[in-house]
Amino acid sequence: MLDHFAIATKGGVVLWAKDYTDVTGNPVNALIQDVLIQSTQTSSTKHNSGSYTLQWAFANELNVIFVAVYQKMLQLPYLDDLLTLVKRHFVARFAAEIRMLTDGDTASFPSFDSFDEEFDLVWQAVEERFEQMSKSRQGVPRKFEDTRKFQTTARGAKLELEELAQANEMEISRKPAKMRSWEDRHGGHASDGKKGRKGKKGKENRVWDGKASKESSQALDFSGGGSESEANVAMLVDEKSKGVRTKDGVYEVADVAERSDSFQLLEGKESKVSTGGIMGMFRALASGRVLTEDTLAQPMAQMRSHLANKNVAADIADKVCQTVARGLLGMRVGGLQNIRTLIEQSMETALTRVLTPSSSTDIIRDIDHVRRQGRPYTMAFVGVNGVGKSTNLSKVCYWLLQNNKRVLIAACDTFRSGAVEQLRVHVRNLRALSENQNVEIFERGYGKDSAGIARDAIAFGASHDFDVVLIDTAGRMQDNEPLMRALAKLVSVNSPDKILFVGEALVGNEAVDQLQKFNRAISDFSGQARPRQIDGIILTKFDTIDDRVGAALSMTYVTGQPIVFVGTGQTYTDLRKMNVDHVIRALLRP
Amino acid sequence: MADDASSSGTSITLLLSSTLVLALGALIGWYILSKQSAAISQKSLAIASGTSTISQPKNTVVITGPMGSGKTSLWCHLRFPATSASSAAPRTQTSMAINAAHMDEGRAYLVDVPGHQKFRFDRDTQLKAARAVVFVVDSVQVARDIRATAETLYDVLANASVQENECPVLVLCNKQDDALALPNVRVKEMLEEEIDGLRGSRQAGLDSLQDTADDDAAVEEKAGDYLGIDGKKFVFEDLCHPVQFNESSMVIGHDAGGLEQVEQWISESLHT
């Protein structure tokens, strides 16, 4: 059974709540923080959190959310119905009070306690209805003769033929009747008809001579008879409003306050306004139409293709559009306004929510915090081949040098020819560019195990008082299992403070696949109880795309992690911070 | 002949005038309908985007702070003073939308922004029209969450509109009914320390995307980011707008819980 049911506004004010038992922790808050605010929810309305399962429903036009909490091991199949009906009843009863919370002028908070009874009644009704439905569905199991398998057996086939033959016989027997000749028909009919008509025409006049035959006296007896001798009991007393008979046999009249007899579940859809002709059109213009799935389908499809044109991955565009559409169901739009403006506005809100980081992206602060613990801050750069890991690593190094940090670069790419030499050249340039030459390279040549090199580099950095250790790894395809295992080993052995996934802005649908597989590999192959995940994203080659910034959205949506740096060129100063406004404007520009 | 001409003339003028009247009527009707439908769409737009339904009035007070500190409770107390005086205000849970309403007698327009990090942009948008800011802090959790709390407070204080309008800021150390709550002087010290470290790392941050077009504006914004006086340890008194620290509790009733002072502070700040 339910542990907790809450009705609250989206703004956080709890209107009505019922606790059936003590609830540990705060699962409703966890649901809101982890699922609902993230805007990456799928179409399911169920969520597991700790030992509870939560199911919810929205009333979008009033900004109200209905949440039911129950134990995870239970299965309550009627909960969907319960949520829908509770929503309908609550909205029907308290719509005005809810609007008064923000728009009205009252100084006292309206009370919603009177909903207690109604909730219990609704629940009872839903349970009963569900029981009836399941009984009628189950009942007695089917006979074998009724199944399809029987029809394929020999006996079944024979029976079927017989049935068909019977049906055909009836058909055949009917046909001859039709095929009787005209004379037969009319002759027979004529004779019958004449008789019948004669019989009809032979209407006798009533003879009032004081003598009535038995038949006529019975026919003339209009004294009520059966309809009055037996009183129609069912019509006299309403069974439901009868009182109760106590144990002593005393019959007590039912209470005035008994509501069970007049309780009706609110059935049916929302009031269907008649859409007849001109009056319907005027009504729609005046009071606005309510958005339904059908009216939203076409504009949403346009928005989806617009996002796909901007290089957003196809299923991400799909999911975002679904979330936005679900949030708009039930809203009113004025007859003369376009639905498009409404969709664009809520799309902008949803996309801003997705792209806004939910944690701080201040690296310098994190470095200071870690340095106080006496060890260097380690950042690992991972990604597929050719996205710009080494280039962007050197850009980050340049930025850190400008902030007077001592940086050690660990050359853990022991596979690609020239990788170590490339980093040597970068270090040489950076030493020339910076004043106190606080950058060094740690390398062990080619062919060695990168996890071991990283471990030695961190130990070297700690002993020589370096602030930051940047770990450059080899590029690897997300499907290459041995290489992904090697990467997971590097991560689990050294546990870097930040794992940055380097992805290029040119990638389209591949971004989703890359990130998912990288995340899964790092967590599956790590062998730890609480494995790491990708902590941030570096978006490179941003200067090569003009408006088509969809990759930023795809990557952030898939991982939920923020974009920490954006690479906008190929020199050391081309590193920027992410600007959510700029990306959103570029995405929604036509 | 003349009569015919004049009659046709009058009929023509009649026709013209009637069409004019009809056209005027249609125009007026169209205008009214479009206004009405715009209003309906505006309301839905506002609900969809999670902002207030009315365009920002002049006396907006923004209530912000980290998650779980008691902002929505404070909003309820101030919005429904009758209930708050007699009994406890309604229960609250994590907000996922903005609460905005007029305080009684239209003294102030209260905007409660959710504390979740994802609402950062909404908070910045609301701060553009703010005349005063109430920053609610959980006095029990502040020691554990000092970094996040200090960052949020820094963002509020460094916000361009807040600095330009010199909005007074009230830092409310809430949940004082708990035995483990820190006093507001201690909270003030902790925040000053953290912000001191923060301003250095903020200055060291990278430029934002698209900043190369407006170098001057970007430099100005970065300069405004730096709170307090360069070279001196940060204290709240160095800021050009008044920052006050108060204690409060939402569950021990209207007068004992420090809400009287909050209302007083709001009236004072809005009238200066």
Side-chain angles (χ1 to χ4, degrees), chain B residues 69-205:
Chain B
S69 53
K71 300 178 289 298
T72 310
S73 290
L74 175 67
W75 183 86
C76 282
H77 270 283
L78 292 175
R79 165 87 176 84
F80 302 109
T83 325
S84 112
S86 58
S87 60
R91 263 165 77 171
T92 56
Q93 60 187 36
T94 308
S95 311
M96 48 190 260
I98 292 180
N99 285 320
H102 281 282
M103 217 163 120
D104 60 333
E105 302 141 25
R107 267 195 281 168
Y109 187 67
L110 297 168
V111 176
D112 162 36
V113 182
H116 196 276
Q117 291 283 20
K118 291 269 184 185
F119 285 87
R120 240 181 275 178
F121 275 93
D122 304 77
R123 184 193 61 214
D124 290 339
T125 324
Q126 296 296 328
L127 279 175
K128 280 193 196 136
R131 287 280 309 279
V133 180
V134 179
F135 191 87
V136 188
V137 166
D138 183 347
S139 316
V140 180
Q141 296 287 336
V142 69
R144 210 182 309 167
D145 289 342
I146 187 65
R147 284 180 69 196
T149 312
E151 261 183 52
T152 322
L153 182 58
Y154 191 100
D155 283 334
V156 169
L157 291 174
N159 183 287
S161 324
V162 168
Q163 294 207 329
E164 215 180 279
N165 301 334
E166 297 194 356
C167 298
V169 176
L170 173 71
V171 180
L172 205 58
C173 303
N174 198 16
K175 308 203 184 174
Q176 289 290 330
D177 49 285
D178 197 316
L180 298 171
L182 295 171
N184 61 353
V185 269
R186 180 82 190 102
V187 174
K188 185 169 173 195
E189 278 170 18
M190 291 170 74
L191 284 172
E192 279 174 351
E193 249 178 70
E194 277 297 321
I195 294 185
D196 201 32
L198 249 182
R199 47 184 195 169
S201 63
R202 283 300 170 93
Q203 285 298 99

Side-chain angles (χ1 to χ4, degrees), chain B residues 26-49:
Chain B
L27 267 171
I28 293 176
W30 195 257
Y31 179 73
I32 295 177
L33 273 176
S34 70
K35 267 281 164 42
Q36 211 174 0
S37 58
I40 297 174
S41 294
Q42 197 63 30
K43 194 148 186 212
S44 293
L45 219 77
I47 294 181
S49 65

